[in-house]
Structures are given as structure tokens and as C-alpha cells.
Amino acid sequence: GAVVSQHPSRVICKSGTSVKIECRSLDFQATTMFWYRQFPKQSLMLMATSNEGSKATYEQGVEKDKFLINHASLTLSTLTVTSAHPEDSSFYICSAELSGTEAFFGQGTRLTVV
Amino acid sequence: GENVEQHPSTLSVQEGDSAVIKCTYSDSASNYFPWYKQELGKRPQLIIDIRSNVGEKKDQRIAVTLNKTAKHFSLHITETQPEDSAVYFCAASKGTDKLIFGTGTRLQVFP
């Protein structure tokens, strides 16, 4: 099946700094990628839809200035958590879909802000 | 927008028994319903999916049923094994639109 690679898998950063997470589709082109956030023992909450070559579409309640999304190519989308705070600590995971078929998820990134 | 509800939140069964997880969705235009299995700290993996033109789909010990009229779909796992223990998520979407996930069911299979 298709492979989506997410990097880094774990990151610890200091409060106030920014962290960039990369999501790559390794063997297919993804015009659309999705970013989710998952708290412990909770579901995947969609944060935003990343569209190649255009602005991301954010879900209600997600701060677009805090969670910057860039989808500059058909195989790469990045999520930057700006001015991170402890409450931003979470498991962030991306996915990409082969048009009309299943979504393939990255490995996820566990962010800890200290 | 779409809203997906999932029940139960936790489910404990004895090895060999069956497990059933149910989901309901709100948007009648949704036409794609996948089920994902997520083990602790790992990415969700698709285990089975169904489209709105089909009422039932089976893959070995796993089956999914869809009732479009009632807007609900269910996951059935037969002859459960300890390795089936994980969190299961249902989801719904319209074509290539975003997936909306249910709240998840933590399944524990006791030997």
C-alpha cells in the first residue's frame, strides 16, 4: 500500500519556541493531506486540510496563526506549531488519500512542550 | 457538518467471542465508511471499509454492515483473539472529502 512518512516521531521543545512537523507521501502524489491531533485515549480530531498550492482549510476552533500549514509540493506538507505552550503537547498525525480510496496515516509525532 | 457517534467506548470480551462496535452518522450524503485499528502509540491502520452502494462486506473474521436509511454502520469481529485488542475508530466521508472520526472504542480481548 501507499506510504506516508512523518518526521520527527518525537520532539521535546521549550515553551515559546516553534516546532515543524513534516508529512511526506513517499510513493504517490497527494494533492490533499490532513492534519489531526490526538489527546491520550481520545479520538483523532481534524485540525486542517492541507491543499497543495493553496491555503489550508482550518476546522472551527483551530488557530491558523498558531498552526501554520504549508503544502508546497505534491508530496510534502508541513505543520509548524508556533510559540508552543505546554497545552499544545499532544500526538499530531497526518494522512494522505489516494483519490477516493483509503487514507494512509503517518507514524505520528508526539510533541512535548516543557 | 458531519458528526459521527461511536459506541461503546470500551468493550471487553473473552477470547473466541464476538465483538460488535456501532457508529451513526448525521450527513446522508456521506458515502464512504472506513474502520481503523490503532494500537498504542502507533498510526491508525485501515482494517475494512464499505461504500454506500453496498450493505455488507466481509474479510475473514471482520465484517462491516451499513444501514443507509438509519444512517448507521457496524463492525463485527468474530472469534476474537488477544491481538485484536486495540482502539477501533469508525469514520465517514463524502467521496474524497475529509474523514470525520468517531470517538473510538477500546477493545480488550481476554485470553
Side-chain angles (χ1 to χ4, degrees):
Chain A
V3 177
V4 175
S5 178
Q6 189 172 337
H7 179 81
S9 57
R10 292 178 182 270
V11 59
I12 300 173
C13 71
K14 291 185 177 180
S15 187
T17 61
S18 296
V19 173
K20 180 185 283 189
I21 303 169
E22 292 187 348
C23 180
R24 293 180 185 273
S25 56
L26 297 186
D27 50 2
F28 67 102
Q29 294 182 329
T31 54
T32 304
M33 292 185 178
F34 302 90
W35 287 96
Y36 297 86
R37 183 173 181 176
Q38 187 176 35
F39 290 105
K41 299 185 178 180
Q42 293 191 23
S43 188
L44 295 130
M45 300 302 298
L46 180 66
M47 298 175 65
T49 303
S50 172
N51 305 295
E52 187 268 335
S54 64
K55 292 183 179 180
T57 304
Y58 290 81
E59 295 300 301
Q60 193 172 8
V62 178
E63 299 175 59
K64 59 181 67 176
D65 294 332
K66 181 167 187 61
F67 300 99
L68 300 178
I69 291 173
N70 183 279
H71 195 153
S73 77
L74 287 171
T75 59
L76 174 65
S77 175
T78 60
L79 168 68
T80 301
V81 183
T82 63
S83 186
H85 291 283
E87 57 265 31
D88 298 324
S89 298
S90 189
F91 188 64
Y92 293 87
I93 191 164
C94 68
S95 76
E97 296 179 5
L98 286 173
S99 58
T101 64
E102 69 176 280
F104 295 90
F105 286 86
Q107 307 95 312
T109 297
R110 185 158 304 282
L111 170 64
T112 303
V113 185
V114 298
Chain B
E2 175 68 279
N3 181 50
V4 179
E5 295 189 357
Q6 184 172 346
H7 299 280
S9 56
T10 59
L11 180 59
S12 297
V13 299
Q14 203 74 33
E15 182 178 2
D17 288 349
S18 295
V20 180
I21 303 170
K22 299 181 179 181
C23 287
T24 60
Y25 60 99
S26 60
D27 190 341
S28 56
S30 290
N31 57 10
Y32 177 61
F33 308 94
W35 285 88
Y36 286 84
K37 176 183 180 182
Q38 186 179 29
E39 297 178 4
L40 189 63
K42 296 189 177 181
R43 74 184 88 191
Q45 299 273 13
L46 179 74
I47 56 171
I48 196 167
D49 57 10
I50 193 168
R51 296 190 181 274
S52 59
N53 58 345
V54 176
E56 183 175 358
K57 185 176 178 181
K58 190 173 182 180
D59 183 4
Q60 299 182 347
R61 297 186 297 108
I62 295 172
V64 56
T65 59
L66 171 65
N67 183 327
K68 285 193 297 182
T69 303
K71 290 189 282 188
H72 67 69
F73 55 113
S74 301
L75 177 71
H76 304 252
I77 306 174
T78 58
E79 302 172 30
T80 54
Q81 301 166 4
E83 51 265 38
D84 293 329
S85 297
V87 179
Y88 292 81
F89 293 99
C90 63
S93 77
K94 293 177 282 192
T96 57
D97 202 3
K98 57 194 177 186
L99 280 172
I100 302 301
F101 284 86
T103 47
T105 297
R106 185 170 300 276
L107 173 64
Q108 289 184 300
V109 180
F110 292 98

